[in-house]
Amino acid sequence: MSGNRIVKLIVMAAVTVISTLTGPSPAFCHPQQNESREIMLREQLVSFLQNGGSIESIPSSHALYPLREMPSVAMFSYLLLRQDPGMLERFYPRINDLVMARISADLTLENGFLPGDGMGSARGIILMSPFPNALAALELRALYLIALAAGRYEDALELRTWSREFSQAVVKTFYDHTNDSFFPVSEEGYYLIAHSPELLLPMTADEVLGETARTRISNRLMYKMDGVSTGNRYGAEIRNSPSHSSLVRALLSTIDRFPTDRLDAMMVTPGRGDGSGSTAPARNSWIEFWDRRPSRCEALFPEWDCISPLILFSLFTERESLLEEKNLRSLKEDLEKLTAALSSDSAGLETHAASIRLVNSLLARMSDFSSSLDSGERLWKFLDEAKWNRLSPRSKKLLTAACKDAISGLMSAKAALTRIFMRSSGIVAEIHMPDRSVPSGRGIDFDISIKSAETPLGIEQVFLQVSGTRWKLTDGPEKILLGPGEKRMGWKRTLVLPPGTDPGIVPVPLFVDFLCEGKRIELHMLESVTLTMGYDVSLSFANGRKLEGDKGLPVNITIRHQAGNIIQGMVEGVFLKGIHCTPELPARFALKDGSVLTELPLEIGFAESLSPGNYPLTLSVSLDGNSIASFDEVLVRPLEWIHIGPLTNRRWALEEALELQDNLSGIYVTPDGNELKWRKVAPGACGGDGAVLPDRLYGSKPDQCMILYTAISMRSSEKVRWNLESGNVVSLWINAAPVLNSEHGETPQSGITVLKKGRNAVLIAASWSDSAAPVLFSMSDEAGLPVAGMGNDIGSILETYAISLDSPPEKNPGAFSGDQPREVTLELDMPDAAEVSVIGEFNNWTPDSDPMRKKGAGRWSVTLLLPRGIYQYKFLVDRKTKIIDPSNDNNEPDGFGGLNSVLAVK
């Protein structure tokens, strides 16, 4: 068997292993029926390719009619015929012609993009959209895979480069970093705010955005599609078009960690006619083809694709007999090993370390080869110069480019191998870059952590390298213990990008390496940050995000920008019903000449009858018509609670809990002799998200319990979703019926219940062994939004039963009095700050838990309710600068080379 055939078999084996279409068939279709329909589609496609007709001539009753609506002929052909390389070789010229006819120069704009929205709709306001252009990039990718299988190596190299460059241009063109979303572009050149799933298609073949950014953008779209934001609903009809949505879902499900289940719940049921002109049976074959699980489109993105330039380089040089036999044999052996590693489902420490060493060896070899091709020197060491000189200029250019691409591809292979290793070993490194854009020239704060979820390990000499900067994360020779029950190890660092880095998406390749069991382990990742032109816009909530009491919620937008002239600006907002803003939005403002800091104070008001729940809002800021910032926030209308505790007998608490809600004014004697009664949970014992904080009610003692009670009123019987988050062991009753018994502290939990008309009782028992975790309970509709007409009857209960605000226990007051919370006020003089919060051991260093209120003359203040103890803390200024308390001389090292202030509550 020839070497060429061997390498081709390696490639095709990898395709078959990764992209096999096994998996459950859709519930609406029998597996045998699915198989027969796929055979029918294959026959129809072969017939169409043989006959030579145009796509525009396909009748509406034909099973391939959707190819007229969506440019997907190459993807469709590759996925149906990929297991028959001979068939792909036969039809490659025909498929190539069909694809090029769709993206020919006379059909594209001057910038090379396809015009319109890709939905066949006549929308004059849309110049171009991510949807058709992302599909075009994917068509080029599929065509490159077909050319590779067909042995057209020059074409495959050109098509792969074209596909990658076009895909990157689509991402950078349609990604709006101020809104963290992909949008179509208007005829005037502005982004059109829109929320529809096909707008995320650029991320399917993206190599620019980091993994965390892709996950965040995906979740943001789901959040928007849940009905949080209103406005231009461009593209929403795809949710009602099965032929479009089935293809979109299949493509989006290839994105790692994409919330496919949430997307499926929003889309139509597969197989339903959409009234677009074709008959339902023909269209159903198309729909069922794309809806096969696991994702039909996984074959378009095999793990080995990152080394395809190296594979093509090997195939090309072997075909032309350019390499010496021993060099070719060595290269093929290494390629076979690397392809197998990339196609594997798992990798241990030793296997991963060996794979990385293999990649490093290939990197050294290809770097030497690339240097020789660039300079023309020492070519005789690598290839037959006479045969090289006989190559066409095109072939020489492509082979030189393939050599360079192979080097970057091998670096991507390290990231692919890392994903396999982390998935299978439980040893995970996580990088958290800023989730908002960063002004050019500023340091980028980020966090890194390492954990081992399954195997106890001891690691040492941990290093981190990011964009050429290398840090040693460990100080001494001691090993770091990782494993189940051990805390993850974390570090904080600041990255400074090179001067002159252009604004926009900046890829940040990074890797962690450490010694473990005598082996050096490398974990490679790709993240990204977004740089702006220098605008620094922040949003602060001086009094937190809770909608409570009868006063409005102050909000402040701060813009830091040195304006050379007067700049007109505008603030816009989207709110749910019951929320309003003063001044009314949209509101105009101006940045004055020479100003550095501009503050825009707002006040969020709400109706007195506002239902409890989470209220999303969007605030956006623009200058001279260009959007510079967008903020998606969630305001909380918290439930009010009464509580009884602390209880030390867990069994008594859980068994007697229901009886305690029968008489809210009674005094209850616990088995250990304490007399307790119901008390109202004080505002200071609730977090910024409305969670009840047991340690602020009872202190930090272990092995305790508490019981919470509230009442929900409904105008009519209605089905709602309950949500409960807590690290404690919890039990939940609704209207005296047991709903949840969480023996192991699982979180979060949710479910559906029916609330009756009138008053409904909610009772929660919580128990903890070591430290108490917050208890967060809420009710919402299916979209996660507040239930209209829901009330919280705690006020009438307090009045009826004369329940006081956290009065101490009636009997044996000394039993817990030493640990009763105290009020502590912290203040900071910081006139130029836009937002200040206190972070510390008492709130798990969470920025949003305890925001400070701005008083006169720029003084910030917050009052905390804390049990007796010693706490370390800092002030967080504008969400990025951490400082110690200048009025407190009691400091201790923070473990990162700085100091923490120390607070003693007596």
Side-chain angles (χ1 to χ4, degrees), residues 631-644:
F631 302 95
D632 289 302
E633 300 288 344
V634 177
L635 306 180
V636 179
R637 177 72 162 176
L639 288 167
E640 294 185 276
W641 299 89
I642 60 175
H643 70 102
I644 194 167

Side-chain angles (χ1 to χ4, degrees), residues 873 875 884-893 899-904:
Y873 70 99
F875 294 121
I884 60 174
D885 188 345
S887 64
N888 185 356
D889 295 331
N890 189 6
N891 303 315
E892 290 184 2
L899 297 173
N900 286 332
S901 296
V902 178
L903 172 66

Side-chain angles (χ1 to χ4, degrees), residues 192-206:
L192 295 169
I193 305 302
H195 309 293
S196 196
E198 76 276 13
L199 300 180
L200 290 186
L201 284 181
M203 293 199 304
T204 53
D206 165 57

